[in-house]
Amino acid sequence: MTEQSSSQPSTQAQGATAGGHPVLERLRGGLIASAQAYPGEPMRDPRTMDQVAQACVAGGAVGIRAQGLADLALICQHVDVPVIGLWKDGHDGVFITPTLTHAIAVAATGSQIVALDGTRRPRPDGLTLAQTVEGLRAARPGTLIMADCGSADDARAAQDAGVDILGTTLAGYTGERPKTDGPDLELVDEIVGFACLPLVVEGRVHTPAQAASAMEHGAFAVVVGTAITHPTTIASWFVSAVGGAGRGSEGAA
């Protein structure tokens, strides 16, 4: 596959930038809710995540981001907004939809958009990001591809690889940038300055004010997960604010 210059986006990307792709247009300027639970947690059940996703849509979310084939299969049946699907496999390095096989399986759930690790790190199957994009397009024509990036250099490389959407998902987690308290708005500004593709701001967006700020900095849409769909973390914030561990923590000691 011949890589494209970042100044010459793919046909799909041109449509996205010009506002021509209907799936992307449904996400423009809106909130995408990330409905995910960590392994071992009480909410780690596809039916629960499906219900959480439906509740977020009822509250006005224009899209859902979720992980795991079973979760995605249910959610895609029950929500009428675009679904960004991914498959987390592993904990270190490239683990967000890490291989072409993972990506094809995610697309098969009905997810209109497949999120991939969009960094420049080696992928487990030895393919480049561009080869993964090409392979997914061949296997599942019409599927849109989101690159979860950790830096501006990742975003440039992902754009050249032919993806449709850029995300700041991995900013602060790959060693290239510090982990900011909120969304990495400096990175947002940098990517917006050169990107020909929609930029979705994701990562540590914990308040409505932070989400609004991301939009003011040029985000196409904002993903919020923990602050909306992760009660364990939300409860811990309040426990910390009131000055101590709750009874549940004391009982588990």
Side-chain angles (χ1 to χ4, degrees), residues 1-11 13-14 17 130 153-163 166 194-197:
M1 177 179 178
T2 302
E3 292 191 348
Q4 301 167 356
S5 165
S6 60
S7 63
Q8 296 293 328
S10 67
T11 301
Q14 288 175 349
T17 305
D153 286 341
D154 284 344
R156 288 187 178 92
Q159 183 166 267
D160 288 344
V163 305
L166 302 173
F194 68 78
C196 301
L197 301 176

Side-chain angles (χ1 to χ4, degrees), residues 39 44 67 87-98 102 124:
R44 185 64 179 261
Q67 87 86 27
W87 179 355
K88 291 181 178 177
D89 192 358
H91 303 282
D92 300 310
V94 175
F95 66 90
I96 297 176
T97 323
H102 287 83

